[in-house]
């Protein structure tokens, strides 16, 4: 069964304190791995799509990497506005575009 | 470019009542999705439309949930009758290509 596990469930950081969020997955043929940001009361906001092991993508203070079993979202020198829940999802190499989400990591960055 | 629009934003109903949600996707996006997000969990796909046709509804509780997409644009999701466990945020998303889905703000449903 296709599955996504994210850790930690919650993370509290001081402003400027870099850290990483983990997303481990099992899927029958990975088509793509997705990172989304979700603020309270809002829908998920697309961040990155990674397609193959070894791939990396960056956006401002965020950098996503992918291996054959997991993905990391590295946050460098975070700011309070980076506080949100970060969701990881995978798409299997099947006929539909279904995203299978993890439960997310709730990040809080304190000034 | 306007994003995915959903209404209402909030709805409170009693169990066994019916409710409907509306979604207007990004212009030109042929694919539309409905997800259910229970508090503390990630979204779960309920149904996927490609234009007017259903591509995947394997996780839709068909005894109480129904969805339609008329003319390949707007879509409605209905629950009848609602149960307590249906309390969740219902998210609509749309995409032009498989690798990027854009989500709306969601409708928060509370069933009492």
């Amino acid at each position: 069964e296709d599955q996504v596990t994210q850790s930690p469930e919650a993370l509290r950081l001081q402003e400027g304190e870099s850290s990483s969020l983990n997303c481990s997955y099992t899927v029958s043929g990975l088509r793509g791995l997705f990172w989304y940001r979700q603020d309270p009361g809002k829908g998920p906001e697309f961040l990155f799509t990674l397609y193959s092991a070894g791939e990396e993508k960056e956006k401002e203070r965020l950098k996503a990497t992918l291996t054959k079993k997991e993905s990391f979202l590295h946050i460098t020198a975070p700011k309070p506005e980076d506080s949100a829940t970060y969701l990881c999802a995978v798409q299997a190499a099947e006929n539909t575009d279904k995203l299978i989400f993890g439960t997310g990591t709730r990040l809080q960055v304190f000034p | 470019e306007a994003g995915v629009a959903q209404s209402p934003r909030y709805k409170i109903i009693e169990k066994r009542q019916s409710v409907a949600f509306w979604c207007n996707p990004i212009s030109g996006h042929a694919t539309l999705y409905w997800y259910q997000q229970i508090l503390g969990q990630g979204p779960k796909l309920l149904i996927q439309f490609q234009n007017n046709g259903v591509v995947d509804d394997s996780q839709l509780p068909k005894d109480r949930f129904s969805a339609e997409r008329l003319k390949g644009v707007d879509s409605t999701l209905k629950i009848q009758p609602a149960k307590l466990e249906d309390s969740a945020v219902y998210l609509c998303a749309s995409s032009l290509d498989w690798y990027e889905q854009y989500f709306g703000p969601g409708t928060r449903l509370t069933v009492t």
Side-chain angles (χ1 to χ4, degrees), chain A residues 31-32 34 36 38 41-46 49 51 87 91 95-104, chain B residues 9 31 33 35 37 40-43 45 48 55-56 58-59 91 95 98-101 103-105 108:
Chain A
R31 193 185 193 190
F34 302 78
Y36 283 85
Q38 187 171 28
K42 296 187 177 181
E45 174 189 346
F46 173 80
T49 305
Y51 301 97
L87 294 166
Q91 202 174 70
N95 294 329
T96 72
D97 302 335
K98 177 171 65 180
L99 291 176
I100 301 164
F101 281 88
T103 54
Chain B
R9 290 298 314 279
T31 310
Y33 316 79
Y35 286 84
Q37 186 173 24
Q41 298 183 19
L45 180 71
Q48 176 188 345
V55 175
D56 184 353
S58 57
Q59 298 187 102
L91 295 162
S95 69
W98 64 267
Y99 49 81
E100 205 164 307
Q101 294 182 22
F103 285 81
R108 181 177 298 278

Side-chain angles (χ1 to χ4, degrees), chain B residues 25-76:
Chain B
I26 294 173
S27 177
H29 283 195
T31 310
L32 184 147
Y33 316 79
W34 284 101
Y35 286 84
Q36 179 193 57
Q37 186 173 24
I38 293 172
L39 186 64
Q41 298 183 19
K44 182 183 81 171
L45 180 71
L46 293 176
I47 189 166
Q48 176 188 345
F49 292 95
Q50 179 76 22
N51 295 310
N52 290 344
V54 175
V55 175
D56 184 353
D57 63 356
S58 57
Q59 298 187 102
L60 186 73
K62 299 180 185 64
D63 58 333
R64 299 183 300 105
F65 286 63
S66 65
E68 61 180 7
R69 189 180 185 196
L70 300 176
K71 300 181 181 179
V73 182
D74 293 3
S75 176
T76 56

Side-chain angles (χ1 to χ4, degrees), chain A residues 54-95:
Chain A
E55 189 175 2
E56 299 182 352
K57 287 193 176 177
E58 290 188 62
K59 181 179 181 180
E60 296 181 355
R61 294 177 293 281
L62 301 177
K63 179 181 177 180
T65 62
L66 180 64
T67 72
K68 288 187 177 180
K69 293 185 177 181
E70 57 191 355
S71 176
F72 292 93
L73 184 65
H74 308 277
I75 303 177
T76 302
K79 298 181 177 182
E81 53 262 43
D82 294 322
S83 298
T85 295
Y86 290 85
L87 294 166
C88 172
V90 297
Q91 202 174 70
E94 298 172 348
N95 294 329

